[in-house]
Amino acid sequence: MKKLCVIGAGAAGLAAAKNGLKLNCDVTVFEQSNAVGGTWVYTDEIGKDKYGLDVHSSMYKGLHTNLPKEIMSFPDFPIPYQEKSYILAEDMLAYLNLYADNFKLKEKIKFEHHVVRVRPLIDDTWEVLVRDLKIEKYLIYNFDLIFICNGHYHTPIIPFYEGKNFFKGKILHSHDYRCPDPFENETVLIIGAGPSGMDLANEISKKATRVTLSHHLPEPPKTQFKTNVDLKPDVVKLTEDGAAFADGTLNTFSVVFYCTGYKYTFPFLSFDSGITCDDNFVRPLYKHCININRPTLAFIGLPFYVCATQMFDLQARFCLTFMTDKKKIPSKTEMIEDSEKEMNKRWSKGFKKHQAHLMGCDQGKYYEDLSKTAEIEPLKPVIAKLHNFSSLRFLDDLTNFRQDIFRIIDDETFIKVQ
Ligand code: FAD
């Protein structure tokens, strides 16, 4: 029986634990908080938590999902019926708890256990150093297999702008956004027009006097924002009371919000784990998950712009097929060749390092590759199709897209009923 360590009890960790148990692994999940759900657990806290750890969740009050629930469940466990497709974060969290209860996962989770270090031993097993937060003790465990499921929406990327130190207002990151109330009567500059920047512009404009969304999209977002929202190109520098933009204009602001994304970080991984992470490019990995240098360690959940929960389950089944020897893992040379081919395809499309794990429109091909390679149950093609459709709706009509209602008809087809 393989001893499997899962780091994190968010959606990825739950999928890893459930599938590990199904293949008769002896599963232990370490979770630093006292709950399952990761991102989906709302907290008022920002900065550090009561144990001095960085607050993990970037969840804000009243958040509705930005994907329809029809593609946000695990493949074998639907989200309980409700008419709406875009559900509240609380409902998503309740669903993850239901999943954990249904598959008896909570008894495998050591809550308030923070993983401090993961290092390989000479016999290809792993030593895991854990801080038990409740009794303030450090404990050492040994495992055959490691699944890293610590998420990647928790450590802000903070860009540098000339003049930043002179700016007299508040500078925040979307990680610290909780609700629009504190921005009543403020003039707010939002830097970045990814999903968080667009959503925050929409939310904060309900209270702020004026919101400016600075972006470098090739085309301005088509969304109709409220009339107090304007769009600007890139920020060139910050000033004492505002910012200068690439179009030569200057504006005053009382708050600057960086919606500039998150860093992938694995602070617990020792230098000899075989993994490096540079500008969100984690390598060397086979199929974006298995550590090629030490294939008894894998990451669940690195790819983004995906149907996350569906993919977590597929990646966990893919990795376990090889890691529990149900199928022989390719040689190191074969995995390196496969990985280089995959990455070269991406670089030739003009992808940058920070897009090394971006899937988007190609996610369907990735899912198919995983299931074919490991000879496991595939994801339904309709999942990727609906993701691609609803993502375009998000970009085109941010204010109304959440009123859409979808139904999945069969493995290939969905309809938009409203
Ligand atoms: P997380 O949910 O981040 O879980 C990681 C877990 O690991 C946490 O519980 C954390 O406490 C634990 N952990 C971390 N480090 C350690 C350690 N050293 N020791 C022990 N435990 C540790 N996705 C969608 O599909 N639809 C959406 O609508 C959507 N909306 C989003 C809105 C926001 C504001 C954000 C930030 C993300 C959103 N996402 C959405 C993405 C979402 O984060 C993923 O879909 C998914 O929930 C991530 O799951 P995860 O398990 O990979 O990571």
Side-chain angles (χ1 to χ4, degrees):
M1 188 188 261
K2 299 264 190 192
K3 286 181 73 182
L4 167 64
C5 166
V6 177
I7 303 172
L14 295 178
K18 180 250 177 181
N19 284 295
L21 288 172
K22 195 166 171 196
L23 289 184
N24 293 321
C25 293
D26 176 6
V27 176
T28 304
V29 183
F30 295 113
E31 168 52 54
Q32 65 193 9
S33 74
N34 60 4
V36 303
T39 288
W40 299 99
V41 179
Y42 174 83
T43 170
D44 284 327
E45 284 178 318
I46 54 171
K48 300 278 180 195
D49 69 11
K50 65 176 175 179
Y51 295 116
L53 301 175
D54 291 336
V55 167
H56 181 86
S57 180
S58 308
M59 189 48 56
Y60 50 87
K61 269 190 191 153
L63 179 134
H64 283 78
T65 60
N66 55 27
L67 289 177
K69 69 172 185 313
E70 287 71 21
I71 53 174
M72 280 192 55
S73 68
F74 296 103
D76 56 349
F77 196 77
I79 293 176
Y81 179 79
Q82 50 175 295
E83 180 67 14
K84 284 186 298 194
S85 278
Y86 292 88
I87 61 174
L88 276 166
E90 289 98 284
D91 293 340
M92 189 60 198
L93 181 61
Y95 165 72
L96 293 175
N97 274 284
L98 194 65
Y99 179 83
D101 290 336
N102 186 71
F103 293 105
K104 302 190 169 39
L105 304 180
K106 286 183 184 166
E107 57 210 62
K108 302 292 173 189
I109 304 174
K110 290 187 183 295
F111 289 104
E112 296 178 280
H113 280 63
H114 172 67
V115 172
V116 177
R117 192 186 63 210
V118 174
R119 71 178 182 109
L121 299 178
I122 203 140
D123 59 353
D124 275 341
T125 62
W126 296 87
E127 182 194 82
V128 178
L129 176 70
V130 182
R131 179 177 156 210
D132 181 333
L133 299 167
K134 275 177 293 187
I135 57 169
E136 265 312 340
K137 267 212 165 130
Y138 285 84
L139 308 163
I140 285 184
Y141 294 83
N142 282 84
F143 292 97
D144 301 305
L145 307 175
I146 306 280
F147 273 159
I148 298 183
C149 309
N150 66 328
H152 52 83
Y153 296 101
H154 48 78
T155 303
I157 294 176
I158 308 284
F160 177 77
Y161 288 106
E162 190 193 328
K164 180 180 164 182
N165 295 336
F166 300 111
F167 179 67
K168 288 194 174 137
K170 256 192 221 141
I171 298 186
L172 299 164
H173 188 276
S174 51
H175 178 57
D176 300 323
Y177 175 75
R178 295 294 180 264
C179 69
D181 300 345
F183 305 102
E184 180 116 46
N185 302 326
E186 302 281 1
T187 46
V188 182
L189 168 62
I190 293 185
I191 303 180
S196 316
M198 298 271 282
D199 241 1
L200 259 62
N202 204 26
E203 288 290 308
I204 292 177
S205 64
K206 293 174 188 162
K207 293 281 174 179
T209 314
R210 173 166 50 83
V211 173
T212 297
L213 177 62
S214 152
H215 71 93
H216 52 226
L217 301 170
E219 308 253 317
K222 290 186 199 138
T223 283
Q224 291 291 314
F225 287 103
K226 283 176 58 141
T227 50
N228 60 344
V229 179
D230 60 352
L231 300 176
K232 284 279 177 192
D234 275 328
V235 169
V236 181
K237 66 173 188 172
L238 295 179
T239 61
E240 229 177 63
D241 59 354
F245 298 93
D247 59 3
T249 56
L250 279 169
N251 238 338
T252 55
F253 298 102
S254 55
V255 179
V256 173
F257 245 114
Y258 292 147
C259 293
T260 40
Y262 295 89
K263 267 185 223 161
Y264 288 48
T265 55
F266 313 102
F268 41 78
L269 268 188
S270 72
F271 73 94
D272 52 350
S273 63
I275 289 293
T276 60
C277 176
D278 170 23
D279 199 10
N280 286 0
F281 178 19
V282 185
R283 63 182 143 165
L285 294 180
Y286 179 53
K287 310 279 186 205
H288 298 271
C289 41
I290 297 180
N291 175 358
I292 293 177
N293 285 324
R294 296 185 182 274
T296 47
L297 179 144
F299 296 81
I300 305 299
L302 295 187
F304 60 102
Y305 294 152
V306 289
C307 299
T309 314
Q310 295 265 336
M311 183 197 71
F312 297 159
D313 182 80
L314 178 63
Q315 285 188 322
R317 289 185 286 119
F318 173 86
C319 295
L320 283 161
T321 301
F322 294 109
M323 291 161 84
T324 62
D325 307 321
K326 284 178 88 67
K327 194 169 163 57
K328 191 172 176 306
I329 193 156
S331 68
K332 185 168 178 177
T333 314
E334 286 167 326
M335 288 195 281
I336 289 172
E337 276 170 11
D338 185 272
S339 165
E340 280 179 358
K341 202 167 133 205
E342 160 74 358
M343 295 323 297
N344 286 336
K345 241 194 284 168
R346 291 170 166 265
W347 310 143
S348 68
K349 280 191 216 165
F351 279 28
K352 304 279 183 296
K353 248 194 232 170
H354 69 271
Q355 296 166 317
H357 306 293
L358 184 159
M359 292 297 161
C361 330
D362 286 334
Q363 64 186 291
K365 283 188 215 140
Y366 175 62
Y367 304 152
E368 204 183 321
D369 184 28
L370 289 184
S371 57
K372 281 202 172 137
T373 308
E375 298 176 280
I376 51 175
E377 179 83 23
L379 295 186
K380 294 175 180 164
V382 67
I383 298 296
K385 288 183 190 170
L386 180 48
H387 185 283
N388 293 333
F389 181 87
S390 59
S391 305
L392 290 179
R393 287 280 300 132
F394 172 91
L395 291 174
D396 285 351
D397 191 6
L398 182 68
T399 26
N400 298 310
F401 82 99
R402 287 188 173 94
Q403 284 152 30
D404 292 354
I405 298 180
F406 298 100
R407 295 281 172 267
I408 288 185
I409 301 299
D410 56 36
D411 290 2
E412 296 281 346
T413 334
F414 68 88
I415 52 166
K416 182 170 168 307
V417 293
Q418 179 182 306

